[in-house]
Amino acid sequence: MASPSKAGAALSALREDLAGDVFAPQDPGYDDARTVFNAMIDRRPAVIAQCVDEDDIVRTVRFARDLDLPIAVRGGGHSVAGMALGDGAVVVDLRHLRAVGVDPAARTVRVAGGATMSDLDRACEPHGLATTGGRASTTGVGGFVLGGGTGWLDRCHGLAVDNLLGAELVTAEGRRVWASADEHPDLFWALHGGGGNFGIAASLTLRLHELPEFSIALLLYRPEAGPEVTRTYRDVIAAGPDEASGAVLYLTGPPEEFVPPHLVGSLLCGVLLTYAGAEEDMRKLAEPLLALPHESEVVGAMPYADVQCMIDDPPGMRNYWSAEYLTGAPDDFVDVYCGLGEALPVPTGTMHALFPQGGAIAAGPHEYPVPYRDAPWGVHPFGLWEDPADDARCEQWVRDVRAGTQPWSTGAVYLNFIGDEGADRVVAGVGAENARRLGDLKRRYDPDNVFRFNHNIRPV
């Protein structure tokens, strides 16, 4: 650790050299700069550098290395584990790097490291193009993609990482590297699920797909209808094309226009059927769901970028999530899933999601460290609440969902859906064989584990 005099001089130099703002704990604005969307996270970095270009990123990395300080990277700040922050760390804050450049002829997009899903989706929408994005518009593109990336388009267009064409990285040495299938292919492989372990993504280049139309059916049912609704949705997906996706959800009725006033604050079972295509085709697919008695419906064409905003989780809430990937969703599983849904903490923002995989996910490249690819279904208990007094019951419910669905678990998991659940779950998120290879690459690219505020791959 550097002496106070050296650290003070280095910090003064960083303030002078950086085009963006620099915050230390004594500075006005520091507390705002260290706030992330999960209100359960309260960490105090040594320095927060709000970079405005790639040169700023390089300068900040070299500053941290000179002082022997670890580095956390903030893109969207959406990690449930608060991985954008680290006590005593230097935070490379990318929120000012949000440019999105679409090449409609090549069907590619270059996304700066701090861009959110909304930045990406809104830039692509005028061209009738899209790529697999997260299920919330506030998610940062960088962490989402490098962690694998699952969303409403993955069954027809693959996981987000399947659409990664290249990345501009700043390594732990402060060196600029372009990683692609042709340049640094080993590093490029590691970025397909290995997260932020290997460098800071200054930008990503992604493949785009045509998406001229998008449509949805959002239906709310009484919770006692849950087993029939879940089985019907499962069968609709099984019979439908890869363009169909969505989820079954247990939730507290929110104060929205589409929720009857007498059901606001009550437990509901819902279905969101998404369709990458025309409303007419979606309606035919949704007929079995529409035939079940339901309390409300929103059915029709809707711009994909608008759908992406539908279940945004508001900042400042308390969050605790997990996930299990499943061998299937047979009737006995449906009964367990729905029983856990009946126990959902109400009234909170907590949701209990069951979503399909298959299609282009399962057909995608199997050489990458995304071992959950072959699971046909996933369950995602998404704890979201406001009052700290609800911490114990909401966290316990999430753990109960994991335990209850364990008999159908493949053992693999998507790391972006979970908090800090220990080293074994990191291995489950990349695969045992891949974990060894990733550890070897970590030793080559970050031997000191400078980038450790993540689902960490240790150097071996």
Side-chain angles (χ1 to χ4, degrees):
M1 190 64 66
S3 68
S5 59
K6 179 181 177 182
L11 180 58
S12 295
L14 183 67
R15 292 186 194 275
E16 183 76 21
D17 293 342
L18 216 70
D21 293 325
V22 177
F23 294 94
Q26 68 275 12
D27 293 335
Y30 170 80
D31 284 332
D32 284 342
R34 71 182 182 93
T35 299
V36 291
F37 95 108
N38 185 358
M40 299 183 79
I41 306 300
D42 182 17
R43 296 183 186 146
R44 298 188 65 81
V47 174
I48 300 171
Q50 295 188 333
C51 302
V52 300
D53 56 28
E54 197 168 327
D55 288 341
D56 274 1
I57 299 174
V58 171
R59 291 186 189 105
T60 304
V61 169
R62 290 176 178 169
F63 163 82
R65 297 312 308 272
D66 286 346
L67 297 182
D68 195 26
L69 293 172
I71 297 170
V73 183
R74 177 172 186 154
H78 208 270
S79 156
V80 68
M83 293 173 178
L85 302 175
D87 287 324
V90 174
V91 175
V92 177
D93 187 335
L94 304 177
R95 279 178 289 174
H96 291 303
L97 284 82
R98 297 179 65 166
V100 178
V102 179
D103 185 338
R107 291 189 191 169
T108 62
V109 59
R110 181 186 180 277
V111 186
T116 65
M117 207 57 61
S118 185
D119 297 325
L120 170 60
D121 295 335
R122 298 296 181 190
C124 295
E125 187 175 50
H127 306 284
L129 299 170
T131 195
T132 299
R135 295 173 175 88
S137 69
T138 52
T139 302
V141 177
F144 168 78
V145 173
L146 298 182
T150 170
W152 308 131
L153 298 178
D154 53 13
R155 282 172 36 83
C156 54
H157 297 319
L159 297 169
V161 79
D162 296 341
N163 293 288
L164 179 62
L165 299 175
E168 295 176 88
L169 291 187
V170 176
T171 70
E173 299 173 342
R175 186 165 58 97
R176 293 176 171 92
V177 171
W178 169 255
S180 68
D182 299 321
E183 299 181 50
H184 301 284
D186 55 345
L187 181 57
F188 186 60
W189 173 87
L191 299 181
H192 286 70
N197 276 283
F198 303 95
I200 301 170
S203 74
L204 303 172
T205 299
L206 303 169
R207 181 185 299 109
L208 296 175
H209 305 267
E210 288 189 3
L211 190 67
E213 296 182 272
F214 200 77
S215 49
I216 67 161
L218 174 61
L219 308 172
L220 295 178
Y221 306 83
R222 296 280 188 172
E224 55 268 25
E228 185 177 12
V229 170
T230 304
R231 288 192 295 269
T232 302
Y233 174 77
R234 175 198 63 192
D235 296 344
V236 164
I237 291 294
D242 293 346
E243 286 75 13
S245 188
V248 178
L249 299 163
Y250 279 82
L251 72 164
T252 299
E256 302 285 352
E257 285 185 16
F258 62 89
V259 181
H262 67 285
L263 294 178
V264 172
S266 300
L267 181 67
L268 296 170
C269 178
V271 163
L272 175 62
L273 176 67
T274 64
Y275 190 76
E279 176 184 347
E280 180 183 2
D281 296 329
M282 181 275 296
R283 283 184 176 274
K284 290 176 184 174
L285 195 63
E287 281 176 0
L289 293 163
L290 290 163
L292 299 176
H294 50 281
E295 302 297 320
S296 73
E297 64 178 67
V298 177
V299 183
M302 183 180 291
Y304 170 69
D306 290 352
V307 175
Q308 288 286 71
C309 304
M310 284 184 63
I311 56 173
D312 281 358
D313 43 328
M317 303 289 282
R318 303 174 77 77
N319 286 258
Y320 185 82
W321 317 340
S322 196
E324 290 293 337
Y325 280 71
L326 310 171
T327 56
D331 287 348
D332 53 350
F333 165 81
V334 169
D335 292 340
V336 169
Y337 166 77
C338 293
L340 292 161
E342 293 271 5
L344 182 138
V346 175
T348 68
T350 297
M351 289 186 282
H352 183 37
L354 175 68
F355 59 92
Q357 292 217 116
I361 305 169
H366 278 66
E367 65 267 26
Y368 295 129
V370 282
Y372 48 87
R373 183 185 294 281
D374 290 328
W377 291 89
V379 64
H380 181 27
F382 187 101
L384 179 71
W385 66 99
E386 190 170 10
D387 188 348
D390 283 330
D391 285 4
R393 72 169 180 142
C394 290
E395 291 180 24
Q396 186 58 54
W397 175 80
V398 171
R399 288 192 286 268
D400 289 346
V401 172
R402 276 203 65 203
T405 57
Q406 203 66 44
W408 297 273
S409 175
T410 67
V413 68
Y414 170 49
L415 293 176
N416 284 351
F417 272 172
I418 71 171
D420 183 0
E421 297 183 2
D424 288 348
R425 284 282 268 177
V426 175
V427 173
V430 296
E433 286 297 320
N434 294 327
R436 286 186 277 273
R437 182 177 171 188
L438 289 167
D440 179 64
L441 288 166
K442 180 76 169 181
R443 178 175 49 80
R444 288 168 52 192
Y445 285 98
D446 183 14
D448 299 319
N449 203 16
V450 173
F451 300 119
R452 70 186 70 156
F453 300 102
N454 44 41
H455 289 296
N456 194 232
I457 304 292
R458 295 184 176 274
V460 295

